């Protein structure tokens, strides 16, 4: 069984109340049939999907409406009961599961589409809608979601917004900070903040929704989202290419931006060690072999003949110049999905390789792979595998280290080395995964003390008792 987070990391429980019989009676009256206390059922919700952190919550609540969330939080705030908001539980930094016995507040039943405007492309939906389900709904209307993640079959849009998830389409459609137009949020005292705007432009005062995007459930519980969705592209092409060096990966990217311009929608890179793990653990085969690096380029446009001509011209150029040594192109949906799975399922393959230490770093692109090389040299044979992949178009590296089992000495060799290295080159220690539980004490490597202090003041103002997702995102204020 996964070791308790509190034991592995030596965390002290804060002075919150413990759930009592009268608390249970209140919740069962408020949301009858949607209170889970069975330890066997709760086990799944107490552990993250990486099997790296575990809490010991004795209660999970499943509200269906913002009004029910409001009643729950009003009661918990009054009783000083800690609450852990949880969406699809696909987070990678321990932010979505309890550390101790916090009540788990699941958004799973808040899964209704409220409205969609086919002229503006604005979708309004509850926070518990699964990302892939939303995309399927929109595709029938000739639109798509502006974000795409490997965990799309499980993750909730509310969780995506709460963690400011980046994903595979950020290069084309930007971050959630730009595409989310409004939010409905329930605050710690039960107040419902309805900023569910469906306007592209609204310049009236502070943009309050930005406080909650990326706040990881520490400032309020997101219950509904208004999001701008792009039209579904009529033409999608995918190229899977091999490069002999990382400098060639960078050169191909520069050429790609110049020659593909407005139709470029994704530029992903993977080192050969990633591909070997995908092949050995998931039995997937890559169409191109013999390269230390692989890149996956997606184009999305409205004219297939135009897009294919541009892509072919680009491929001819990078092959002739020696930037790319081999490759394949997919235009049919089935082959496109097969090629994408080589990139999307790397995280899954890593979990089969042992205990995974995951780092989500943002760096100047020319420095992106140097961190992998330096980490590999530092750890030597104490690590099983050190691999690098990610969204090169966004300067986002996923550095992953595997070992046969969890080791304090290995963790100490990795941290804070990785964070110091990142700070040295003015990078971010979390590009898209958030800080959660695992990274909160390292925030100073990316933010000045004044910024951290201001964040703590905002937290204290919105959640003075600290009941919302405690032990996460921010170090405790002195």
């Amino acid at each position: 069984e996964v070791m308790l987070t509190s034991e592995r990391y030596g965390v002290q429980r804060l002075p919150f109340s413990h759930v009592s019989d009268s608390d249970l009676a209140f919740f069962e009256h408020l949301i009858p049939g949607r209170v889970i206390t069975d330890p066997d059922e709760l086990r799944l919700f107490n552990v993250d999907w990486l099997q790296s952190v575990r809490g010991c919550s004795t209660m999970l609540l499943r509200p269906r409406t913002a009004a029910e969330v409001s009643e729950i939080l009003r009661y918990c705030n009054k009783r000083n009961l800690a609450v852990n908001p949880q969406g699809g539980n696909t987070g990678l930094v321990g932010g979505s599961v309890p550390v101790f016995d916090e009540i788990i507040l699941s958004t799973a039943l808040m899964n209704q589409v409220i409205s969609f405007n086919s002229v503006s492309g604005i979708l309004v939906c509850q926070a518990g809608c699964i990302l892939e389900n939303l995309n399927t709904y929109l595709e029938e209307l000739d639109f798509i979601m502006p974000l795409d993640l490997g965990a799309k079959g499980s993750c909730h849009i509310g969780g995506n917004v709460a963690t400011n998830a980046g994903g595979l389409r950020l290069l084309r459609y930007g971050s959630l900070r730009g595409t989310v137009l409004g939010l409905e949020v329930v605050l710690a005292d039960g107040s419902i903040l309805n900023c569910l705007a469906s306007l592209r432009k609204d310049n009236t005062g502070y943009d309050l929704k930005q406080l909650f995007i990326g706040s990881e459930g520490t400032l309020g519980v997101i219950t509904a989202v208004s999001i701008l969705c792009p039209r579904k592209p009529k033409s999608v092409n995918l190229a899977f290419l091999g490069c002999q060096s990382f400098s060639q990966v960078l050169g191909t990217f520069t050429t790609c931006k110049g020659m593909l311009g407005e139709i470029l929608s994704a530029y992903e890179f993977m080192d050969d060690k990633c591909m070997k793990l995908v092949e050995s653990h998931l039995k997937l085969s890559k169409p191109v072999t013999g390269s230390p690096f692989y890149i996956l380029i997606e184009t999305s446009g409205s004219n297939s003949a135009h897009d294919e001509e541009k892509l072919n011209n680009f491929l001819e150029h990078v092959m002739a110049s020696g930037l790319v040594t081999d490759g394949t192109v997919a235009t049919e949906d089935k082959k496109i999905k097969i090629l994408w799975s080589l990139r999307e399922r790397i995280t899954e393959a890593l979990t089969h390789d042992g205990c995974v230490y995951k780092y989500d770093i943002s760096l100047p692109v020319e420095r992106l792979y140097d961190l992998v090389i330096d980490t590999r040299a530092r750890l030597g044979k104490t690590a099983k595998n050190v691999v690098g992949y990610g969204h090169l178009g966004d300067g986002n590296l996923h550095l992953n280290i595997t070992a046969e089992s969890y080791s304090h000495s290995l963790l100490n060799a990795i941290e804070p080395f990785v964070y110091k290295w990142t700070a040295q080159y003015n990078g971010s220690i979390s590009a898209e995964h958030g800080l959660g539980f695992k990274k909160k004490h390292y925030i100073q490597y990316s933010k000045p003390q004044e910024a951290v202090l201001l964040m703590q003041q905002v937290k204290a103002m919105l959640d003075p008792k600290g009941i919302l997702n405690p032990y996460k995102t921010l170090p405790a204020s002195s």
Side-chain angles (χ1 to χ4, degrees), residues 162-187:
T163 55
N164 191 29
L168 306 163
R169 288 178 177 159
L170 191 138
L171 178 64
R172 176 66 172 272
Y173 301 119
S175 80
L176 288 171
R177 293 198 180 278
T179 53
V180 170
L181 303 178
L183 295 175
E184 178 186 70
V185 182
V186 182
L187 303 181

Side-chain angles (χ1 to χ4, degrees), residues 315-380:
L315 292 172
E316 286 175 15
H317 178 81
V318 292
M319 294 288 283
S321 63
L323 286 170
V324 169
T325 51
D326 200 358
T328 185
V329 175
T331 55
E332 311 88 35
D333 279 351
K334 187 177 179 182
K335 190 177 178 184
I336 286 172
K337 285 177 181 175
I338 290 170
L339 289 181
W340 261 122
S341 66
L342 292 169
R343 163 62 183 87
E344 290 181 323
R345 296 183 68 188
I346 292 171
T347 300
E348 181 188 347
L350 284 159
T351 62
H352 291 285
D353 203 50
C355 179
V356 190
Y357 302 80
K358 303 188 78 67
Y359 300 90
D360 164 45
I361 306 297
S362 185
L363 285 163
V365 287
E366 64 274 9
R367 287 285 180 186
L368 210 61
Y369 202 72
D370 292 347
L371 177 55
V372 182
I373 295 167
D374 289 356
T375 304
R376 205 173 274 158
R378 176 178 172 83
L379 300 181

Side-chain angles (χ1 to χ4, degrees), residues 227-302:
I227 188 164
L228 181 66
C229 303
R231 291 298 295 261
K232 180 181 177 182
K234 290 182 170 63
S235 164
V236 177
N237 298 297
L238 208 63
F240 188 93
L241 312 173
C243 294
Q244 293 302 309
S245 69
F246 191 70
S247 64
Q248 290 177 340
V249 172
L250 293 174
T252 305
F253 178 55
T254 302
T255 307
C256 187
K257 285 195 295 181
M259 295 187 71
L260 297 178
E262 78 287 352
I263 62 170
L264 178 64
S265 53
Y267 191 101
E268 301 288 306
F269 92 97
M270 306 135 285
D271 64 19
D272 188 46
K273 284 184 178 288
C274 289
M275 291 296 95
K276 285 177 179 173
L277 291 174
V278 168
E279 287 179 301
S280 61
H281 293 304
L282 306 181
K283 309 305 177 190
L284 302 180
S285 58
K286 60 180 186 285
V288 178
T289 58
S291 297
F293 295 94
Y294 298 94
I295 52 180
L296 199 154
I297 298 170
E298 183 189 74
T299 65
S300 303
S302 58

Side-chain angles (χ1 to χ4, degrees), residues 70-182:
S70 173
E71 289 298 320
I72 289 166
L73 291 187
R74 184 176 289 111
Y75 181 87
C76 289
N77 194 54
K78 185 178 176 181
R79 278 274 296 119
N80 195 36
L81 291 164
V83 178
N84 184 104
Q86 188 178 96
N89 195 12
T90 59
L92 299 170
V93 288
S96 58
V97 295
V99 175
F100 290 96
D101 58 343
E102 301 91 271
I103 293 171
I104 301 171
L105 179 63
S106 170
T107 58
L109 298 183
M110 302 179 70
N111 57 5
Q112 301 300 306
V113 171
I114 298 167
S115 66
F116 179 69
N117 187 311
S118 58
V119 177
S120 64
I122 295 169
L123 172 76
V124 181
C125 64
Q126 287 186 298
C129 291
I130 292 172
L131 180 59
E132 190 169 43
N133 293 350
L134 288 176
N135 206 63
T136 301
Y137 167 84
L138 288 168
E139 280 190 338
E140 293 177 1
L141 301 166
D142 214 27
F143 284 79
I144 58 169
M145 288 296 287
L147 74 157
D148 188 16
L149 309 171
K152 59 192 166 198
S154 307
C155 64
H156 296 182
I157 187 62
N160 298 150
V161 174
T163 55
N164 191 29
L168 306 163
R169 288 178 177 159
L170 191 138
L171 178 64
R172 176 66 172 272
Y173 301 119
S175 80
L176 288 171
R177 293 198 180 278
T179 53
V180 170
L181 303 178

Side-chain angles (χ1 to χ4, degrees), residues 27 31 34-36 59-63 72 103-106:
F27 292 124
I31 50 171
R34 290 178 278 137
V35 179
I36 294 174
M59 180 183 289
L60 179 139
L61 307 176
R62 288 185 163 183
I72 289 166
I103 293 171
I104 301 171
L105 179 63
S106 170

